[in-house]
Amino acid sequence: ILQVGEIWTYSAIHTVTQSDLDTGSVVNTPTANGTDTNGGAVSDDSNQVTVNATQNPVISIVKTFTDDSVIAGGDGSSFTLVVTNEGNVTLSDALILDMVDSRLSVTSVSSTIGSDADSDSDVQTVEWLIATLAPNASATITVEFDVDAGVEEANGVGGVNNEDNLPNNAFVSAEAPQGDSADPSDDITNDSEDTIDILVDINLSIVKTFIPAEIEIPKPQGTIQTFTIEVSNAGPSDAIGVSVTDIVDDILEVTNISVSSSNVDCTASNGNNVDCEVRVPAGGSETITVEYVTAPFLDADSPYTTTAGGDDFYFVFVNGSILEGTTRGDGLVLLDGVDITATTTIVRSLTRNDIIFDPEGSDPAFELHLSCSDPFTGGWGQSAGPVEGVDNNWQIAYFTIARFNNNGFVKSCGNVVNEFEVDNTAYASGVDSFGTQTEFDDDFVTVGPGITLDRLQNQGKRLTARLNNLTGSDRTIDEVTITWPDSNGNLSKVWLTYGNTSNIIWQGSETANNDYPNPDAILDQNDSGWDGGILPMGEAILRFDFENKVGNTGYIIRVHFVDGTWLDINVPGDSTPAVTSKTMEDTKSSQNLKVTVETDFSANVEMIIYPNPATTSFNLMLDGYMGDYAEILIFDLNGRQLHRVKEKFTPGSPLMINLPFGLNEGLYYVKLNDGKSMKSEPLIIRKMD
């Protein structure tokens, strides 16, 4: 019973529930109910009490890469996004966002709770929605990814490319239950970052192959051949910036480099220095194809800065050594790249530009006759050394000689006289996260005889080129281009003779156009007079018939074959610069058979007599002679003719002259009579002991 004026106090304890916190307040309305003394009902609820509940919404996110590093092209990896409600209120619509770096290719997204909220179908943008997240509760989102084999290293300063390791940020935002989702100011947010290293792992290999691969098949001198360099990568990462190099032996003159794809850049290559930068996909390969001329002849491009006459020379011996240099100017002789000029004697005379080569060791010195008249048959000198049975360690495999007078280049010659091997090594070097990897492979090619020009002859209205095809196969002619002196008049016929067979290659009428360097005539299947022809193995004669008597100079001839190779025959005149296959444009192919020969006519015949002194006979080489027969005369010192003989002449072969009976010992002169002038050389006769 509560008396009038009496105060009654009631105390109670209320536990704040999660619902109170989520609501944000506690409202308590006490109600007093009773009866008065008259039995009437009494109530009072006017003293409502509101108590505020303190809300502290907090959300956190932690991003963690599972591994410290991942290998490009390897097994891939993952990272986790752990979202935790660290506040005291239940959160709603927690949205997790991670714009994953494009170098990490996302493959799957999963979580313990929530759902994928991808709004743009971009797998690289991870969007995950958690509808409700109670206080102290957490969710883990797992993102798996691969790294493409072509991704470059990201491994910090000092790595392959100094690229920083790869960072990535993740973000989270959420709403408290009583918040207005349309009002971003109610959002609570957080973010987290972690990094991962991307490593590259390459596995290079290289194979160099001369084509065809049968090493026992010789590649003919002067022909276009190829070798390939194949670089492979067993991965798992792409090999980027791989350096592929090959310093090709000078005996193989590089003419063209082609590549298998845009992944290969060989623009840094120069001459015989193959220098390429290659990107090799994991599990793939790239191929570099190198075309080269086998054992090219020396030409007008002399490396020696002198205008003096003499000879440039290049000899490859069976023992593998290379003797090269010049007798021009002060002279220079190198043996395997070492200057031996001081121990070499240069012999100069009106008819000779020789060297006396004295090898180290017990091998005797011998004289090399630097002349296109000595074919060095079998690797031995016919007019000097090396001598079989004496200089056995210095048998010649290949030689080429370029002859100059004081006015410049005269002609070149050479041949492969013994098959020989040339080996070469190609290198591939690449860098990955574990260091530098260098691989190499070598291969060799056998070089054999090619096509030679024995001589060029002008006779009447005909220009004749005597050829010798030593390549081992017939060569089909598909084009002939020619420039000639105007005084020759029109060209009427081109024909080819071998054995007892003569075939017309072309017949018609062509006029000189005076438009150097464009050829006067381009003869091919587009001409009605074209029949074509085949240059057979062995000897053959290529003839050009003109309207008038042919001149001695001013010819540029190219015989083009269907396999893309060609033969150049150049005889410069006053108005026609000397042209070699390096500078003469070919409209059909960048390939060439470099047998560039510039020749003099009979006025420049070189006579060589051996043995000299002679006893009963001697051999006579006539370098540059163009007649079918040679008339040889012997005179004494008083000018009396003592002997005369006329012999059939074969280019490159010596004439054997038997001495007449009864000649005394002493000095005589041997003369060549070509009907225009006489060339003479001294001959010493000694009696047999």
Side-chain angles (χ1 to χ4, degrees), residues 574-588:
D574 294 338
S575 62
T576 307
V579 180
T580 71
S581 55
K582 286 183 178 178
T583 60
M584 187 174 185
E585 181 182 1
D586 175 41
T587 59
K588 285 201 169 185

Side-chain angles (χ1 to χ4, degrees), residues 588-665:
K588 285 201 169 185
S589 172
S590 62
Q591 299 175 318
N592 70 310
L593 166 57
K594 187 179 178 185
V595 186
T596 300
V597 181
E598 303 198 16
T599 180
D600 289 335
F601 289 82
S602 56
N604 292 315
V605 172
E606 182 178 8
M607 297 174 57
I608 300 168
I609 298 172
Y610 65 96
N612 192 1
T615 55
T616 60
S617 64
F618 62 88
N619 293 315
L620 181 63
M621 291 293 296
L622 300 176
D623 179 25
Y625 183 65
M626 300 175 186
D628 292 327
Y629 289 87
E631 185 178 44
I632 308 301
L633 309 174
I634 300 178
F635 292 83
D636 64 14
L637 293 179
N638 295 320
R640 292 179 300 175
Q641 179 179 313
L642 304 179
H643 187 56
R644 176 182 178 183
V645 64
K646 190 172 184 179
E647 299 283 352
K648 183 172 178 57
F649 177 70
T650 301
S653 298
L655 297 174
M656 192 180 77
I657 307 298
N658 293 313
L659 292 172
F661 179 78
L663 287 183
N664 296 322
E665 288 188 336

Side-chain angles (χ1 to χ4, degrees), residues 291-321:
E291 297 174 349
Y292 63 90
V293 178
T294 306
F297 290 166
L298 294 175
D299 55 27
D301 270 341
S302 175
Y304 308 108
T305 55
T306 176
T307 58
D311 300 315
D312 294 351
F313 57 89
Y314 191 97
F315 286 85
V316 177
F317 297 96
V318 173
N319 63 17
S321 288

